[in-house]
Amino acid sequence: MHFSRYIFVILCLGVSLPAMTPAWAEGPWEITPESTAALDRGLTWLAENQGPNGDWESDDLGLIGMGALAFMADGHAPGRGKFGQPLDRALNRILSSPRPSGLLNVADAQRDMYNHGLTTFVLGQAHGMTNDARINGVLDRALKLIAFTQAEDGGWDYRAVRRENGHDLSLAVMQAKALRSAMDTGIEVAPEVVDLAISSVREHYSPEGVSRDASEAEQRKYPGQFTYTRHGGKASLAMAAAGVVCLQEFGQYDDWRIQKNMEIIHAEIAKLKQKDNRQNGRLPFDAYTLYYVGQALYQVGGEDWQRSYPILRDAVVESQVVRPGNPREDGHWNAGAHVGGKPGDLYGTAVGCFILAMPNRYLPILQEGRIESFQHEVP
């Protein structure tokens, strides 16, 4: 049995891995001494700047969840080892916060499904890595709310309400990861929810040089990418990566749109070689974009992962703030967009650590294996 598959079985049985278990990297090209040191500095920043209530001065449960995810990505378990206590505090903050409906958001209602989707994903990973019985009920209600609030066209709105039309791809990818996270840890997800979501995601793909109404055979001849809206609006690197992640999470591994968007991702990562962000705290891309770019590379895997991950990893390491003796500064990154202040540093640092910890493959979402039940054709 391959080591990664062995780890996956252990995680699904709910056995916590000790923090010092060796990483199962594919080779030395994935992890360097510099990336290992940067990851430890980042996790130390998260631990020392968290605060007693576990929220890093943020009222966004999704960002608090990202802090927890960073620790889990490096194999740490709640209450155990070097970073066990801060991980425990973050999870306690989340598990004490669900509303009666199951909604995981205590901030403004306009942030309902961002926070809910991201937090549900994190709880799905924690479910696979711990024996914490408190997670089960919270996660079950959270997943039911995602299914209940899915729009008739397969997308989701910012608020936790069911509407006729979903809003944009940035919301869909949050829920996609939450649903896949559940399946990776043995929780069933209704096939109709997945099928409708896949159809919705594909509607966010926009070809260049040919009509969106052209046949798929015709569209494949031209460049194209995923966009924020269904009608080709707001193309960005973040949405290119988000579309890839959605299709991968939903098991559409051979969808031709994936490689179209991977070409865009590789081109943007290649540009990082010309940038100098040494110790300025600016991640190579803003935290939201980087989070999905890293996962798109990893999930597609193979040559795509080998081609661009080392470039991305080194750019993350280079940009980390290094200020020995200054615990408020040493080891952090900032989000770069969307979130400022200490919550922005939480977001940036958590994503930076997540990217550097990916080769460790501790998280269930990073284990090998495809969900074959997702691979049927969706009309």
Side-chain angles (χ1 to χ4, degrees):
M1 180 181 289
H2 191 285
F3 278 132
S4 291
R5 173 60 59 196
Y6 174 69
I7 294 294
F8 177 64
V9 172
I10 289 177
L11 293 176
C12 286
L13 289 173
V15 177
S16 299
L17 289 171
M20 298 306 291
T21 298
W24 304 115
E26 290 183 357
W29 65 270
E30 285 191 318
I31 297 175
T32 67
E34 292 79 13
S35 69
T36 299
L39 174 56
D40 188 70
R41 278 194 300 269
L43 294 177
T44 298
W45 185 94
L46 288 171
E48 294 186 353
N49 289 274
Q50 181 186 46
N53 59 357
D55 64 5
W56 291 275
E57 299 177 13
S58 175
D59 63 352
D60 284 302
L61 295 181
L63 297 187
I64 298 168
M66 284 300 302
L69 188 72
F71 294 122
M72 291 191 293
D74 195 39
H76 298 280
R80 296 171 53 193
K82 183 177 180 180
F83 298 116
Q85 290 303 319
L87 171 55
D88 201 35
R89 283 193 291 269
L91 290 176
N92 285 342
R93 178 68 179 90
I94 292 170
L95 292 170
S96 66
S97 301
R99 298 188 182 184
S101 65
L103 178 64
L104 292 164
N105 180 44
V106 296
D108 182 87
Q110 195 66 11
R111 308 211 291 272
D112 276 354
M113 295 311 290
Y114 270 136
N115 277 317
H116 185 81
L118 185 50
T119 309
T120 302
F121 163 68
V122 172
L123 288 182
Q125 297 305 286
H127 176 265
M129 294 185 71
T130 76
N131 291 313
D132 193 338
R134 297 175 302 163
I135 295 174
N136 298 348
V138 175
L139 183 57
D140 182 63
R141 290 193 298 275
L143 291 166
K144 287 178 179 176
L145 186 137
I146 289 175
F148 178 76
T149 57
Q150 187 178 35
E152 294 179 22
D153 66 358
W156 282 268
D157 188 71
Y158 283 90
R159 294 175 180 250
V161 293
R162 183 177 179 86
R163 300 193 187 280
E164 183 177 351
N165 297 306
H167 197 278
D168 60 70
L169 186 58
S170 71
L171 287 163
V173 69
M174 294 281 188
Q175 316 319 313
K177 290 200 62 61
L179 295 171
R180 176 61 190 262
S181 178
M183 291 204 67
D184 277 342
T185 54
I187 299 174
E188 291 186 6
V189 173
E192 56 269 24
V193 173
V194 173
D195 289 352
L196 197 57
I198 293 170
S199 296
S200 173
V201 168
R202 285 177 173 152
E203 289 178 9
H204 286 82
Y205 180 81
S206 183
E208 299 175 15
V210 67
S211 170
R212 295 179 72 252
D213 296 324
S215 67
E216 287 202 9
E218 188 66 17
Q219 289 188 44
R220 294 176 72 162
K221 300 176 183 177
Y222 297 85
Q225 77 167 93
F226 288 105
T227 59
Y228 183 76
T229 68
R230 280 184 170 81
H231 305 295
K234 299 185 180 179
S236 68
L237 176 62
M239 292 301 98
V244 171
V245 170
C246 280
L247 291 179
Q248 289 284 132
E249 299 292 32
F250 289 142
Q252 306 304 296
Y253 309 109
D254 301 320
D255 192 300
W256 57 269
R257 299 167 186 83
I258 289 176
Q259 206 53 47
K260 298 284 187 183
N261 285 269
M262 290 306 298
E263 292 172 8
I264 294 167
I265 292 169
H266 287 306
E268 290 300 314
I269 291 176
K271 294 177 183 178
L272 298 177
K273 294 179 178 180
Q274 281 72 52
K275 292 184 178 181
D276 183 0
N277 289 331
R278 280 176 289 184
Q279 298 186 16
N280 63 6
R282 298 174 187 169
L283 291 164
F285 306 113
D286 68 81
Y288 180 91
T289 300
L290 179 62
Y291 178 63
Y292 290 113
V293 165
Q295 290 177 84
L297 286 177
Y298 183 86
Q299 290 172 352
V300 174
E303 183 181 343
D304 289 282
W305 173 247
Q306 294 180 29
R307 173 181 171 186
S308 286
Y309 178 72
I311 302 171
L312 190 68
R313 176 203 62 212
D314 291 348
V316 170
V317 171
E318 180 183 77
S319 62
Q320 186 182 41
V321 173
V322 180
R323 304 282 189 276
N326 185 345
R328 180 59 188 88
E329 296 292 327
D330 188 47
H332 87 281
W333 294 269
N334 56 63
H338 310 297
V339 186
K342 191 170 182 179
D345 291 343
L346 157 65
Y347 191 16
T349 305
V351 171
C353 290
F354 173 75
I355 295 297
L356 297 181
M358 289 177 76
N360 294 339
R361 294 171 173 82
Y362 286 117
L363 294 172
I365 201 76
L366 299 178
Q367 302 304 313
E368 293 182 342
R370 298 183 172 195
I371 295 183
E372 304 300 333
S373 62
F374 273 178
Q375 290 190 265
H376 60 279
E377 286 296 318
V378 177

